[in-house]
Amino acid sequence: MDQPYIIRTRGLTKVFRRFQKEPGLRGSLKSLFHRRFSDKIAVDAFDLEVKPGEFVGLIGPNGAGKTTLVKMLTGIIAPTSGELSVLGHYPNKLENAFKKRYAVVMGQKSQLFFELTPADTFRLFKELYAIPDDAYQRNVDFFVELFDVSGLLNVQVRTLSLGERMKMELICALLHDPGVLFLDEPTIGLDAVAQRQIRAFLREVNAARGATIILTSHYMEDVRSLCPRSVVINGGKKLYDGPTAKLFDAYQTHRKITVRFESEQNFADEQGSEGEKGSEGGQGSEGGQGPDHGSRFALPAGAQTLERGPDRLVFMIPRERSGAVLAELTRRQGLGISDIGVEEEDIGNVVERIYAGTNTRAEV
Amino acid sequence: MKKYLAIAKTLFKAQIVYRFDVLMTALGTVWRVVFAWILWGAVFAAPAAASGAAASLTIGGFTFQEMLGYYVVASFLASLDLSGGVSGEVSTRVRDGSFSKYMVIPASPQFHFLAQNLGASAYYAAFSVAVACACAFFFRVQPVHANSPAQLLLALLILLPGLAFMVCYHFFVGILAFKFQDVGFFLHVQGNLIEFATGAIVPLALLPEGAMAVIRFLPFPYVTYMPAMLICGRAGVAEGLFGLAVVAVWLAVILFVNRCTYRRLRIKFDGVGV
Ligand SMILES: Nc1ncnc2c1ncn2[C@@H]1O[C@H](COP(=O)(O)OP(=O)(O)OP(=O)(O)O)[C@@H](O)[C@H]1O
Ligand SMILES: [Mg+2]
């Protein structure tokens, strides 16, 4: 049982066959005999090794193959080819001994029974997993306290809000003290408070309980604050596997800055016209572009406009210049700036950059 | 086994929430009896008017009152069979990918559905007994004609594997969705055939010999028909034992077939959905 790796895949591949049917009843009948398929490689020769106790973030844009990978790791779907071992089992055999040792929570799917109350569900899971009384009680008390959901235990699951349900899903998944926890976008659609609570929960589960966790999320903050190690996947292939800090350092080269103004602006001509990605002529008439730059807002050098509103401007700036730009913005009071927000770049850009195999500041 | 008992118990409790469903099922029972009253009332009335001997007229060995008695019992028993939804639920879940929730918990999906269904049936049983009694009282029929406790006992003994068989059968139809894209039409057709073969529409005794010879070896008549006939005192212990044997064999067969089919077909599951 003491294997060095808790998860190990070699050349793991999943090819989906998409069934294509002609429209109408005739098409249906015809397709009973003559099926036409198109193939889609969702996960492509994927190698992954995870050691016990690791907390791995799985990131990639939509359609990258993250969920497909998680489905294979949990045995829900069978791989098309490649080797796969989780906790020493081949997941798709669906052995009960295996199922009792992991848990999976998918943000978009429910493991709960909608007609039951959480309390009933917990008790049902206690029996399903043969959880000893004391361990069960300890876990329920602990997690219910942590999430502050004691008031919701006796209402039907279907009446819970998304965030409330997600907390219950997580509690339910952890009742049997799984050794491995798979999480597919557990924080999707949740508010900041719930996201923080869930992060605290996951940190606890990983650190104090020693569970190995594989987490996919589109929220950079989840991965950055939870996962020491990140795996980036795109088009079913692994692009990066290493320390999260290094990933962000090397590839998250820009910051997103949102500037709000007290009144509507007639933005001066942007410096240069480089990379105006998202500006679909938001500012119809850019009339008076006078030379008086003194009281008018001008985009800092090297910035890329992302969005422009009447009283709002969003742009990207190379990370190492963000300090200087912010200082400049706050220094110039005449501009009438009411608010400045600084955010991380989202995963799409990071992946694009890794994909391009470059971490230079080259404009795309 | 303990875990399946827990599933059954949990679902029993959950039914309490479905007050409307239970009510509708009860009304369904009443409706079947009323329907029989109208239909058979007309059937019995025509020849009775011709011959002038209404009370003693029998069709297939049933007097009008006995016929109604059969319907009360059969409708009650039929209301316990909640398996009809299983094929639909399973096939829908397979197609929308949410079947995965049964694949990741340490319980066999087949037994999970079985336990879930029988748990719900137990709840309906308590409720439906009351409705059946009310019907019997209202139509002034005396449905229980069993002349030995053995017949009643046998009725119960057959009912359990009978209901279990029905759930498993529907589970089988449901998991065909792993392989076939559209099982909707098939679901519809088999639903009608089964309702007929279980004797819920017409007492099977009225069918021609040839048809009966085949149906005798199918499990469907024993789910509600045989127990109903036993309770109404129309079937003897020997017939009951034969029915029990047929049902038991079929149950064993379907459990085995489902196990193999599920193992083979679930590999094809592509777990659609996000
Ligand atoms: N059952 C299926 N049949 C056919 N193609 C599928 C199936 N499931 C997924 N795909 C395809 O495989 C690819 C990977 O899908 P997957 O759900 O793994 O992406 P993902 O990384 O989880 O994306 P997201 O961030 O949007 O959740 C997608 O292009 C999708 O269209
Ligand atoms: Mg996904």
Side-chain angles (χ1 to χ4, degrees), chain A residues 16 19 21 28 35 67 71 74-78 92-94 96 99-100 102 104 106 108-113 115-116 120 123-125 127-129 156 158 184, chain B residues 2-4 6-8 10-11 13-14 17-18 96-98 100-109 112 116 179-182 262 266-267 269-274:
Chain A
F16 284 116
F19 172 50
K21 181 178 92 63
S28 299
R35 293 192 164 208
T67 302
K71 281 177 187 160
T74 52
I76 293 171
I77 59 176
N92 197 242
K93 274 193 192 161
L94 297 184
N96 281 348
K99 292 194 246 178
K100 285 186 177 178
Y102 78 87
V104 55
M106 299 201 172
Q108 323 248 27
K109 258 182 201 173
S110 181
Q111 201 53 45
L112 302 175
F113 296 86
E115 309 307 334
L116 304 181
D120 278 343
R123 234 162 287 140
L124 179 60
F125 273 59
E127 299 299 332
L128 288 179
Y129 286 91
Q156 262 184 295
R158 69 148 118 230
D184 193 9
Chain B
K2 199 172 158 225
K3 61 188 175 193
Y4 297 109
I7 296 173
T10 313
L11 262 291
K13 278 187 292 184
V17 182
Y18 291 131
D96 72 13
S98 63
S100 63
K101 90 188 219 179
Y102 296 99
M103 301 174 85
V104 296
I105 52 176
S108 118
H112 195 290
Q116 194 171 313
K179 191 165 168 63
F180 304 104
Q181 299 288 316
D182 309 313
Y262 175 65
R266 71 163 178 78
I267 312 266
F269 186 51
D270 57 9
V272 289
V274 271

Coordinates of all heavy atoms in Angstrom, one line a residue, chain A residues 16 19 21 28 35 67 71 74-78 92-94 96 99-100 102 104 106 108-113 115-116 120 123-125 127-129 156 158 184, chain B residues 2-4 6-8 10-11 13-14 17-18 96-98 100-109 112 116 179-182 262 266-267 269-274:
Chain A
F16 N -13.0 10.9 -27.6 CA -14.5 10.8 -27.6 C -15.0 10.6 -29.0 O -14.4 11.2 -29.9 CB -15.1 12.0 -27.0 CG -15.1 12.2 -25.5 CD1 -14.3 13.2 -25.0 CD2 -15.7 11.3 -24.7 CE1 -14.3 13.3 -23.6 CE2 -15.7 11.4 -23.4 CZ -15.0 12.4 -22.8
F19 N -21.3 11.1 -31.8 CA -22.2 10.4 -32.7 C -22.9 11.5 -33.5 O -23.4 12.5 -33.0 CB -23.2 9.7 -31.8 CG -24.4 9.1 -32.5 CD1 -24.2 8.3 -33.6 CD2 -25.6 9.3 -32.0 CE1 -25.3 7.8 -34.3 CE2 -26.7 8.8 -32.6 CZ -26.6 8.0 -33.7
K21 N -25.9 12.4 -36.2 CA -27.2 11.9 -36.7 C -27.8 12.9 -37.6 O -27.8 14.1 -37.4 CB -28.1 11.7 -35.5 CG -29.5 11.1 -35.8 CD -30.3 10.9 -34.6 CE -31.2 12.1 -34.2 NZ -32.2 12.4 -35.1
S28 N -32.9 9.1 -37.8 CA -32.8 8.3 -36.6 C -32.7 6.8 -37.0 O -31.9 6.1 -36.5 CB -33.9 8.5 -35.7 OG -34.0 9.8 -35.3
R35 N -23.9 4.3 -38.4 CA -23.5 5.4 -37.6 C -22.4 6.1 -38.1 O -21.4 5.6 -38.6 CB -23.2 4.8 -36.2 CG -24.4 4.3 -35.5 CD -24.1 4.0 -34.1 NE -25.3 3.8 -33.4 CZ -25.4 4.1 -32.1 NH1 -24.4 4.6 -31.4 NH2 -26.6 3.9 -31.5
T67 N -11.8 18.3 -17.0 CA -12.9 17.5 -16.4 C -12.8 16.1 -16.9 O -13.0 15.1 -16.2 CB -14.3 18.1 -16.8 OG1 -14.3 19.4 -16.3 CG2 -15.4 17.3 -16.3
K71 N -12.6 12.8 -14.7 CA -13.5 11.7 -14.9 C -12.7 10.4 -15.0 O -13.2 9.3 -14.6 CB -14.4 11.9 -16.1 CG -15.5 12.9 -15.9 CD -16.3 13.1 -17.2 CE -17.3 14.2 -17.0 NZ -17.7 14.7 -18.4
T74 N -11.3 9.3 -11.6 CA -12.3 8.8 -10.7 C -13.0 7.6 -11.2 O -13.9 7.0 -10.6 CB -13.3 9.9 -10.3 OG1 -13.8 10.4 -11.6 CG2 -12.7 11.0 -9.6
G75 N -12.6 7.1 -12.4 CA -13.2 5.9 -12.9 C -14.6 6.1 -13.6 O -15.2 5.1 -14.0
I76 N -15.1 7.3 -13.7 CA -16.4 7.5 -14.3 C -16.3 7.1 -15.8 O -17.3 6.5 -16.3 CB -16.8 9.0 -14.1 CG1 -17.1 9.3 -12.7 CG2 -18.1 9.3 -14.9 CD1 -17.3 10.7 -12.3
I77 N -15.3 7.5 -16.4 CA -15.1 7.0 -17.8 C -13.8 6.2 -18.0 O -12.9 6.4 -17.2 CB -15.1 8.2 -18.8 CG1 -14.0 9.2 -18.5 CG2 -16.5 8.9 -18.8 CD1 -13.9 10.3 -19.5
A78 N -13.8 5.4 -19.0 CA -12.7 4.5 -19.2 C -11.7 5.3 -20.2 O -12.2 5.9 -21.1 CB -13.1 3.2 -19.8
N92 N -11.4 2.7 -13.4 CA -12.6 2.2 -14.1 C -13.1 0.8 -13.7 O -14.2 0.4 -14.2 CB -12.5 2.4 -15.6 CG -13.8 2.4 -16.3 OD1 -14.1 1.5 -17.1 ND2 -14.7 3.3 -16.0
K93 N -12.4 0.1 -12.9 CA -12.9 -1.1 -12.4 C -14.0 -0.9 -11.4 O -14.8 -1.8 -11.1 CB -11.8 -1.9 -11.7 CG -11.0 -2.8 -12.6 CD -10.2 -3.7 -11.8 CE -9.1 -4.5 -12.5 NZ -8.1 -5.0 -11.6
L94 N -14.0 0.3 -10.9 CA -15.1 0.7 -9.9 C -15.2 -0.2 -8.7 O -16.3 -0.6 -8.3 CB -16.4 0.8 -10.6 CG -16.6 1.9 -11.7 CD1 -18.0 1.9 -12.2 CD2 -16.2 3.3 -11.3
N96 N -15.4 -1.2 -4.9 CA -15.8 -0.5 -3.8 C -14.7 -0.1 -2.9 O -14.7 0.9 -2.2 CB -16.8 -1.4 -3.0 CG -18.2 -1.3 -3.6 OD1 -18.5 -0.5 -4.5 ND2 -19.1 -2.2 -3.2
K99 N -13.5 3.0 -4.2 CA -14.4 4.2 -4.0 C -14.4 4.7 -2.6 O -14.7 5.8 -2.4 CB -15.8 3.7 -4.5 CG -15.9 3.5 -6.0 CD -17.3 3.4 -6.5 CE -17.6 2.0 -7.0 NZ -19.0 1.9 -7.4
K100 N -14.1 3.8 -1.7 CA -14.2 4.3 -0.3 C -13.0 5.1 0.1 O -12.9 5.7 1.2 CB -14.2 3.0 0.7 CG -15.6 2.4 0.7 CD -15.7 1.3 1.7 CE -17.1 0.8 1.7 NZ -17.2 -0.3 2.7
Y102 N -11.6 7.6 -2.1 CA -11.5 8.9 -2.7 C -12.8 9.6 -2.6 O -13.8 9.0 -2.3 CB -10.9 8.8 -4.1 CG -12.0 8.4 -5.1 CD1 -12.8 9.3 -5.7 CD2 -12.1 7.1 -5.5 CE1 -13.8 8.9 -6.6 CE2 -13.1 6.7 -6.4 CZ -13.9 7.6 -7.0 OH -14.8 7.2 -7.9
V104 N -15.1 12.8 -4.9 CA -15.0 13.7 -6.0 C -16.2 14.7 -5.9 O -17.3 14.4 -5.5 CB -15.1 13.0 -7.4 CG1 -16.3 12.1 -7.5 CG2 -15.1 14.0 -8.5
M106 N -17.9 17.8 -8.1 CA -17.9 18.6 -9.3 C -18.8 19.8 -9.1 O -20.0 19.6 -8.8 CB -18.4 17.8 -10.5 CG -17.5 16.6 -10.7 SD -17.7 16.0 -12.3 CE -16.4 14.7 -12.4
Q108 N -20.5 21.5 -11.0 CA -21.6 21.6 -11.8 C -22.5 20.4 -11.7 O -23.5 20.3 -12.4 CB -21.2 21.8 -13.3 CG -20.0 22.6 -13.4 CD -20.4 23.9 -14.1 OE1 -21.5 24.4 -14.0 NE2 -19.4 24.5 -14.8
K109 N -22.1 19.5 -10.9 CA -22.9 18.2 -10.7 C -23.1 18.0 -9.3 O -22.3 18.4 -8.5 CB -22.2 17.1 -11.3 CG -22.6 16.7 -12.7 CD -21.9 15.5 -13.1 CE -21.9 15.4 -14.6 NZ -21.1 14.3 -15.1
S110 N -24.2 17.4 -8.9 CA -24.5 17.1 -7.5 C -24.4 15.7 -7.2 O -24.8 14.8 -7.9 CB -25.9 17.7 -7.2 OG -26.0 17.5 -5.8
Q111 N -23.8 15.4 -6.0 CA -23.7 14.1 -5.5 C -24.8 13.9 -4.5 O -25.1 12.8 -4.1 CB -22.3 14.0 -4.8 CG -21.8 12.6 -4.6 CD -21.7 11.8 -5.9 OE1 -21.3 12.2 -7.0 NE2 -22.2 10.5 -5.8
L112 N -25.5 15.0 -4.1 CA -26.5 14.9 -3.1 C -27.9 14.5 -3.8 O -28.0 14.6 -5.0 CB -26.7 16.3 -2.5 CG -25.5 16.9 -1.8 CD1 -25.8 18.3 -1.3 CD2 -25.0 16.0 -0.7
F113 N -28.8 14.0 -2.9 CA -30.1 13.6 -3.4 C -31.0 14.8 -3.1 O -31.2 15.2 -2.0 CB -30.6 12.3 -2.7 CG -29.7 11.2 -3.1 CD1 -28.5 10.9 -2.4 CD2 -30.0 10.4 -4.2 CE1 -27.7 9.9 -2.8 CE2 -29.2 9.3 -4.5 CZ -28.1 9.1 -3.8
E115 N -34.1 15.4 -3.0 CA -35.3 15.3 -2.2 C -35.0 15.2 -0.7 O -35.8 15.4 0.2 CB -36.2 14.2 -2.6 CG -36.5 14.2 -4.1 CD -37.1 15.5 -4.6 OE1 -37.7 16.2 -3.8 OE2 -36.9 15.8 -5.8
L116 N -33.8 14.7 -0.4 CA -33.4 14.5 1.0 C -32.9 15.8 1.6 O -32.5 16.7 0.9 CB -32.4 13.4 1.1 CG -32.7 12.1 0.4 CD1 -31.5 11.1 0.7 CD2 -34.0 11.5 1.0
D120 N -30.1 13.8 6.3 CA -30.4 12.5 5.9 C -29.3 11.9 5.0 O -29.0 10.8 5.0 CB -31.8 12.5 5.1 CG -33.0 12.4 6.0 OD1 -32.8 12.1 7.2 OD2 -34.1 12.8 5.6
R123 N -26.3 10.8 6.9 CA -26.5 9.5 7.5 C -26.5 8.4 6.5 O -26.0 7.3 6.8 CB -27.9 9.5 8.3 CG -27.7 9.1 9.7 CD -28.8 9.5 10.6 NE -28.9 11.0 10.8 CZ -30.0 11.7 10.8 NH1 -31.1 11.2 10.6 NH2 -29.9 13.0 11.0
L124 N -27.1 8.7 5.3 CA -27.0 7.6 4.3 C -25.6 7.3 3.9 O -25.2 6.2 3.7 CB -27.8 8.2 3.1 CG -27.8 7.2 1.9 CD1 -28.5 5.9 2.2 CD2 -28.6 7.9 0.7
F125 N -24.8 8.4 3.7 CA -23.4 8.2 3.4 C -22.6 7.5 4.5 O -21.7 6.7 4.2 CB -22.7 9.5 3.0 CG -22.9 9.9 1.6 CD1 -24.1 10.1 1.1 CD2 -21.8 10.1 0.8 CE1 -24.3 10.4 -0.3 CE2 -22.0 10.4 -0.6 CZ -23.2 10.5 -1.1
E127 N -23.7 5.1 6.2 CA -24.0 3.7 6.0 C -23.2 3.2 4.8 O -22.7 2.1 4.7 CB -25.5 3.4 5.9 CG -26.3 3.7 7.1 CD -25.8 2.9 8.3 OE1 -25.3 1.8 8.2 OE2 -26.0 3.5 9.5
L128 N -23.3 4.0 3.7 CA -22.7 3.6 2.4 C -21.2 3.3 2.6 O -20.6 2.4 2.0 CB -22.9 4.6 1.3 CG -24.4 4.7 0.8 CD1 -24.4 5.8 -0.3 CD2 -24.8 3.4 0.1
Y129 N -20.6 4.2 3.3 CA -19.1 4.1 3.5 C -18.7 3.4 4.8 O -17.6 3.3 5.1 CB -18.5 5.5 3.5 CG -18.5 6.1 2.1 CD1 -19.5 6.9 1.7 CD2 -17.4 6.0 1.3 CE1 -19.5 7.5 0.4 CE2 -17.4 6.5 0.0 CZ -18.4 7.3 -0.4 OH -18.4 7.9 -1.7
Q156 N -34.7 20.5 2.6 CA -34.4 19.8 1.4 C -33.3 20.4 0.6 O -33.2 21.6 0.5 CB -35.6 19.7 0.5 CG -36.5 18.5 0.7 CD -37.6 18.5 -0.3 OE1 -38.5 19.4 -0.2 NE2 -37.6 17.6 -1.2
R158 N -32.8 20.5 -2.4 CA -33.2 21.3 -3.6 C -33.5 22.8 -3.3 O -33.5 23.6 -4.2 CB -34.4 20.6 -4.3 CG -35.7 20.7 -3.5 CD -36.9 20.8 -4.4 NE -37.8 19.7 -4.3 CZ -38.2 19.0 -5.3 NH1 -37.8 19.2 -6.5 NH2 -39.0 18.0 -5.1
D184 N -13.6 19.5 -9.1 CA -13.7 20.2 -10.4 C -14.5 21.4 -10.3 O -15.7 21.4 -10.1 CB -14.3 19.2 -11.4 CG -14.2 19.7 -12.8 OD1 -13.4 20.6 -13.1 OD2 -14.8 19.1 -13.7
Chain B
K2 N -26.5 -4.0 4.8 CA -26.9 -2.9 5.7 C -27.1 -1.6 5.0 O -28.0 -0.8 5.2 CB -25.9 -2.8 6.9 CG -26.5 -2.0 8.1 CD -25.5 -2.1 9.2 CE -25.8 -1.0 10.2 NZ -24.5 -0.3 10.7
K3 N -26.1 -1.3 4.0 CA -26.2 -0.1 3.4 C -27.4 0.1 2.5 O -28.0 1.2 2.3 CB -24.9 0.2 2.6 CG -24.6 -0.8 1.5 CD -23.2 -0.5 1.0 CE -22.8 -1.5 -0.1 NZ -21.3 -1.4 -0.4
Y4 N -27.9 -1.1 1.9 CA -29.0 -1.0 1.1 C -30.3 -0.8 1.9 O -31.3 -0.1 1.5 CB -29.1 -2.2 0.2 CG -28.0 -2.3 -0.8 CD1 -27.0 -3.2 -0.6 CD2 -27.8 -1.3 -1.8 CE1 -25.9 -3.3 -1.4 CE2 -26.7 -1.4 -2.6 CZ -25.7 -2.3 -2.4 OH -24.7 -2.3 -3.3
A6 N -30.3 1.0 4.5 CA -30.2 2.4 4.8 C -30.8 3.2 3.7 O -31.5 4.2 3.9 CB -28.8 2.8 5.1
I7 N -30.5 2.8 2.4 CA -31.0 3.5 1.3 C -32.5 3.4 1.3 O -33.2 4.4 1.1 CB -30.5 2.9 0.0 CG1 -28.9 3.1 -0.1 CG2 -31.1 3.6 -1.2 CD1 -28.3 2.4 -1.3
A8 N -33.0 2.2 1.5 CA -34.5 2.0 1.5 C -35.1 2.8 2.6 O -36.2 3.5 2.4 CB -34.8 0.5 1.7
T10 N -34.0 5.6 4.0 CA -33.9 7.0 3.7 C -35.0 7.4 2.7 O -35.6 8.4 2.8 CB -32.5 7.3 3.1 OG1 -31.5 6.7 3.9 CG2 -32.3 8.8 3.0
L11 N -35.2 6.5 1.7 CA -36.1 6.8 0.6 C -37.6 6.8 1.2 O -38.4 7.5 0.8 CB -36.0 5.9 -0.6 CG -35.2 6.5 -1.7 CD1 -36.0 7.6 -2.3 CD2 -33.8 7.1 -1.2
K13 N -38.4 7.6 4.1 CA -38.6 8.9 4.8 C -38.8 10.0 3.8 O -39.6 10.9 4.0 CB -37.3 9.3 5.6 CG -37.4 8.6 7.0 CD -36.2 9.1 7.8 CE -34.9 8.7 7.3 NZ -33.8 9.0 8.2
A14 N -38.1 9.9 2.7 CA -38.1 11.0 1.7 C -39.5 11.1 1.1 O -40.0 12.2 0.6 CB -37.1 10.8 0.6
V17 N -42.2 13.6 1.9 CA -42.2 15.0 1.2 C -43.1 15.0 0.0 O -43.7 16.0 -0.3 CB -40.8 15.3 0.8 CG1 -40.7 16.7 0.2 CG2 -39.8 15.2 2.0
Y18 N -43.3 13.9 -0.7 CA -44.0 13.8 -1.9 C -45.5 13.6 -1.6 O -46.1 12.7 -2.1 CB -43.6 12.6 -2.7 CG -42.3 12.7 -3.3 CD1 -41.4 11.6 -3.2 CD2 -41.8 13.7 -4.1 CE1 -40.2 11.6 -3.7 CE2 -40.6 13.7 -4.6 CZ -39.7 12.6 -4.5 OH -38.5 12.6 -5.0
D96 N -27.6 12.3 -19.7 CA -27.1 13.6 -19.3 C -25.9 13.6 -18.5 O -25.4 14.6 -18.0 CB -28.3 14.5 -18.7 CG -28.6 14.0 -17.3 OD1 -27.8 13.2 -16.7 OD2 -29.6 14.5 -16.7
G97 N -25.4 12.4 -18.2 CA -24.1 12.2 -17.5 C -24.2 12.2 -16.0 O -23.3 11.8 -15.3
S98 N -25.4 12.5 -15.5 CA -25.5 12.5 -14.0 C -25.5 11.1 -13.4 O -25.6 10.9 -12.2 CB -26.7 13.3 -13.5 OG -27.9 12.7 -14.0
S100 N -23.2 9.4 -13.3 CA -21.9 9.2 -12.6 C -22.0 9.2 -11.1 O -21.2 8.7 -10.4 CB -20.9 10.3 -13.1 OG -21.4 11.6 -12.7
K101 N -23.0 9.9 -10.6 CA -23.1 10.0 -9.2 C -23.3 8.6 -8.5 O -23.0 8.4 -7.4 CB -24.2 11.0 -8.7 CG -25.6 10.5 -8.5 CD -26.4 11.7 -8.3 CE -27.5 11.5 -7.3 NZ -28.3 12.8 -7.1
Y102 N -23.9 7.7 -9.3 CA -24.0 6.3 -8.8 C -22.8 5.5 -9.0 O -22.6 4.4 -8.4 CB -25.2 5.6 -9.4 CG -26.5 6.3 -9.1 CD1 -27.1 7.2 -10.0 CD2 -27.2 6.1 -7.9 CE1 -28.3 7.8 -9.7 CE2 -28.3 6.7 -7.6 CZ -28.9 7.6 -8.5 OH -30.0 8.3 -8.2
M103 N -21.9 6.0 -9.8 CA -20.7 5.2 -10.1 C -19.6 5.5 -9.1 O -18.7 4.7 -8.9 CB -20.2 5.6 -11.5 CG -21.2 5.3 -12.6 SD -20.6 5.8 -14.2 CE -19.7 4.4 -14.7
V104 N -19.6 6.6 -8.4 CA -18.5 7.0 -7.5 C -18.8 6.6 -6.1 O -17.9 6.7 -5.2 CB -18.1 8.5 -7.6 CG1 -17.6 8.8 -9.0 CG2 -19.3 9.4 -7.3
I105 N -20.0 6.2 -5.8 CA -20.3 5.8 -4.4 C -20.2 4.3 -4.3 O -20.5 3.6 -5.2 CB -21.7 6.3 -3.8 CG1 -22.8 5.9 -4.8 CG2 -21.6 7.8 -3.6 CD1 -24.2 6.3 -4.3
P106 N -19.8 3.8 -3.1 CA -19.5 2.4 -3.0 C -20.8 1.6 -2.8 O -21.0 1.0 -1.8 CB -18.6 2.3 -1.8 CG -18.9 3.5 -1.0 CD -19.4 4.5 -1.9
A107 N -21.6 1.5 -3.8 CA -22.8 0.7 -3.8 C -23.1 0.4 -5.2 O -22.8 1.2 -6.1 CB -24.0 1.5 -3.2
S108 N -23.6 -0.8 -5.5 CA -24.0 -1.2 -6.9 C -25.2 -0.4 -7.3 O -26.2 -0.3 -6.6 CB -24.2 -2.7 -7.0 OG -25.5 -2.9 -7.4
P109 N -25.1 0.3 -8.5 CA -26.2 1.1 -8.9 C -27.5 0.3 -9.0 O -28.6 0.8 -8.6 CB -25.8 1.5 -10.3 CG -24.3 1.5 -10.3 CD -24.0 0.3 -9.4
H112 N -28.8 -0.1 -5.6 CA -29.2 1.2 -5.1 C -30.6 1.5 -5.6 O -31.4 1.9 -4.8 CB -28.2 2.2 -5.7 CG -28.2 3.6 -5.0 ND1 -29.3 4.4 -5.1 CD2 -27.4 4.1 -4.1 CE1 -29.1 5.5 -4.3 NE2 -28.0 5.3 -3.7
Q116 N -33.9 1.8 -3.2 CA -34.6 3.1 -3.3 C -36.0 2.9 -3.6 O -36.9 3.5 -2.9 CB -33.9 3.9 -4.4 CG -34.2 5.3 -4.4 CD -33.2 6.0 -5.5 OE1 -32.0 5.7 -5.5 NE2 -33.8 6.8 -6.3
K179 N -25.8 2.2 -24.6 CA -25.5 1.7 -25.9 C -26.3 2.4 -27.0 O -25.8 2.8 -28.0 CB -25.7 0.2 -26.0 CG -25.2 -0.4 -27.2 CD -25.1 -2.0 -27.1 CE -24.9 -2.7 -28.4 NZ -23.6 -2.3 -29.0
F180 N -27.6 2.6 -26.7 CA -28.4 3.2 -27.7 C -28.8 4.6 -27.4 O -29.0 4.9 -26.2 CB -29.7 2.4 -27.9 CG -29.5 0.9 -28.2 CD1 -29.6 0.0 -27.2 CD2 -29.1 0.5 -29.4 CE1 -29.3 -1.4 -27.4 CE2 -28.8 -0.8 -29.7 CZ -28.9 -1.8 -28.7
Q181 N -28.8 5.4 -28.4 CA -29.1 6.9 -28.1 C -30.5 7.1 -27.7 O -30.8 7.8 -26.7 CB -28.7 7.7 -29.4 CG -27.3 7.6 -29.8 CD -26.4 8.3 -28.8 OE1 -26.6 9.4 -28.4 NE2 -25.3 7.6 -28.5
D182 N -31.4 6.5 -28.4 CA -32.8 6.8 -28.2 C -33.6 5.6 -27.7 O -33.8 4.7 -28.5 CB -33.5 7.4 -29.4 CG -32.8 8.5 -30.1 OD1 -32.4 9.4 -29.3 OD2 -32.6 8.4 -31.3
Y262 N -24.5 -4.3 -17.2 CA -23.9 -3.0 -16.7 C -22.4 -3.0 -16.8 O -21.9 -2.0 -17.3 CB -24.3 -2.9 -15.2 CG -23.7 -1.7 -14.5 CD1 -24.1 -0.4 -14.9 CD2 -22.8 -1.8 -13.5 CE1 -23.5 0.7 -14.3 CE2 -22.2 -0.7 -12.9 CZ -22.6 0.5 -13.3 OH -22.0 1.6 -12.7
R266 N -21.2 0.0 -19.3 CA -20.8 1.2 -18.6 C -19.4 1.7 -19.1 O -19.1 2.8 -19.0 CB -20.8 1.0 -17.1 CG -19.7 0.2 -16.6 CD -19.5 0.4 -15.1 NE -18.4 -0.5 -14.6 CZ -17.2 -0.3 -14.8 NH1 -16.8 0.7 -15.5 NH2 -16.3 -1.2 -14.3
I267 N -18.7 0.7 -19.7 CA -17.4 1.1 -20.2 C -17.6 2.1 -21.3 O -16.7 3.0 -21.6 CB -16.7 -0.2 -20.8 CG1 -16.7 -1.3 -19.8 CG2 -15.3 0.2 -21.3 CD1 -15.5 -1.5 -19.0
F269 N -19.7 4.4 -21.3 CA -20.2 5.7 -20.7 C -19.2 6.8 -21.0 O -18.0 6.7 -20.7 CB -20.4 5.5 -19.2 CG -21.0 6.7 -18.5 CD1 -22.2 7.2 -19.0 CD2 -20.5 7.3 -17.4 CE1 -22.8 8.3 -18.4 CE2 -21.1 8.3 -16.7 CZ -22.3 8.8 -17.2
D270 N -19.7 7.9 -21.6 CA -18.8 9.0 -21.8 C -19.0 10.2 -20.9 O -18.5 11.3 -21.1 CB -18.7 9.4 -23.3 CG -20.0 9.8 -23.8 OD1 -20.9 9.9 -23.0 OD2 -20.1 10.0 -25.1
G271 N -19.9 9.9 -19.9 CA -20.1 10.9 -18.9 C -20.2 12.4 -19.4 O -19.5 13.2 -18.9
V272 N -21.1 12.6 -20.3 CA -21.2 13.9 -20.9 C -21.5 14.9 -19.8 O -21.9 14.5 -18.6 CB -22.3 14.0 -21.9 CG1 -21.9 13.3 -23.2 CG2 -23.6 13.4 -21.3
G273 N -21.4 16.1 -20.1 CA -21.7 17.1 -19.1 C -20.4 17.7 -18.5 O -19.3 17.1 -18.6
V274 N -20.5 18.9 -18.0 CA -19.4 19.7 -17.5 C -18.6 19.0 -16.4 O -19.2 18.3 -15.6 CB -19.8 21.1 -17.1 CG1 -19.7 21.9 -18.3 CG2 -21.1 21.1 -16.5

